[in-house]
Structure formats: structure tokens, C-alpha cells
Amino acid sequence: MTAPRIVLVGPPGAGKSTIGRRLARALNTSLTDTDEMIQQRMGKPCGEVFASLGEPEFRRIEEEEVAKALTREGIVSLGGGAVISERTRDLLADHNVVYLEVSVKEGVRRTSGNDSRPVLAAEDPEAHYRALYESRRDFYESVASFKARSDERSPQRVVAEILSYLDDACDEGI
């Protein structure tokens, strides 16, 4: 089985699902979303799985689903916290990984009012999001082959930037 052309990582609200769908369409391939895989496996939304099992067990399940997803062809979109797992970071070493970067302000705007993300539930959403992002930023950067800013840009523009990167990577034999 062919490895995915690209794996998308980034914090909640960075646009992984939106960009992933559009990128898959542009490349005429499939999109595998690991959050959707967890939901199908567990029979309930990821947020409920996270809340009921706790983070350690959720991350263990997520690691298993990421490993399966990385055997599939096409685009793979990882959950925002997947990169905190060393096992997942090791699995990403052999893949083209795009880090979708978003500002804290925009990430909060995109995720506010979304009660399906218990990891973001806080009295001060901006401070909580900032702390979460800061704790993960080095992991996103360490696995990334390419970084694309997803705020202040249309999804089409972000996809065009990623496609340009892929063309350059193919030209260089990456």
C-alpha cells in the first residue's frame, strides 16, 4: 500500500479538516481523518471519548488509529494533540507533513462555542488555547516538512501553497 502523499498537523481550529478535504479533491485522492476513525471505532464523538476515558487512554487509542491511517493512500488529517505522542512523531518521520499554523486569536475564534472539544473547555479560552498551543508547537515543528499559515488566507490559497510545495518536493525527489 502506498504511503500518504501528505499528513496534516496543527492545533484545533487550524483548518486540518477543511484543508484536507480541499487538498484531497485537488489531488483526486481520499482523505483519512483520524478523529473520524476514533469516532467510528468508539461509536461516539472524539470529545465524548476524551471526556469519558481521559487523555491517556484517548491518546493510546489515537496512536493506534494514526498508525492505521498512515498505511492508507491519500491525505491524512491528525487530531490536534496527536503529535504529543512520541510513537506518533516517530511514525511521521517517513512522511511529508504539513503543519497548518494559526494564530491563537484565530484558533480561539474558530473553536469558541464548540462544546465537542473538551480539551479546549476553560474559563479563559484564549489563555487556555495559548497554553495548549505553546505546549505543542515544538512537536508540530519537529514533525513538519512544510509549514503553511492558515489564518488571514482563504482555504484555496492554503491548498495552492501546499500544492506548490508538493510540486517542488517532487522536483527535488523528496
Side-chain angles (χ1 to χ4, degrees):
M1 199 170 259
T2 307
R5 290 187 182 102
I6 198 139
V7 180
L8 302 175
V9 300
K16 297 178 298 292
S17 296
T18 300
I19 301 301
R21 281 190 300 274
R22 290 173 182 250
L23 191 57
R25 236 184 341 258
L27 294 169
N28 195 29
T29 192
S30 62
L31 168 66
T32 300
D33 185 315
T34 59
D35 282 350
E36 289 177 7
M37 292 174 70
I38 293 168
Q39 182 172 328
Q40 288 174 354
R41 173 177 169 176
M42 303 304 292
K44 54 187 169 183
C46 276
E48 288 181 28
V49 175
F50 186 97
S52 65
L53 298 179
E55 187 167 12
E57 181 63 9
F58 177 85
R59 296 297 174 205
R60 185 192 66 74
I61 292 166
E62 184 177 51
E63 285 175 352
E64 293 173 0
E65 297 306 317
V66 168
K68 288 179 200 171
L70 293 175
T71 67
R72 298 181 181 176
E73 234 179 273
I75 309 303
V76 175
S77 173
L78 302 188
V83 297
I84 66 175
S85 160
E86 185 176 355
R87 178 178 176 214
T88 295
R89 291 193 308 274
D90 289 345
L91 289 171
L92 293 175
D94 297 328
H95 298 282
N96 264 325
V97 179
V98 171
Y99 164 27
L100 293 177
E101 187 178 38
V102 65
S103 68
V104 169
K105 183 177 181 178
E106 182 63 12
V108 170
R109 186 191 70 75
R110 291 179 183 178
T111 59
S112 66
N114 184 342
D115 60 1
S116 70
R117 301 178 194 230
V119 74
L120 296 178
E123 210 169 291
D124 182 348
E126 186 168 337
H128 185 68
Y129 188 97
R130 182 180 310 285
L132 190 75
Y133 192 23
E134 292 298 324
S135 71
R136 297 175 179 178
R137 182 186 317 211
D138 288 345
F139 294 136
Y140 296 134
E141 295 200 6
S142 73
V143 299
S145 315
F146 182 73
K147 182 166 46 172
R149 189 113 187 130
S150 69
D151 54 355
E152 301 176 6
R153 294 180 179 181
S154 69
Q156 298 91 328
R157 187 167 170 206
V158 176
V159 168
E161 188 177 342
I162 294 168
L163 291 172
S164 178
Y165 157 73
L166 289 175
D167 284 345
D168 293 346
C170 285
D171 289 347
E172 295 172 14
I174 297 174

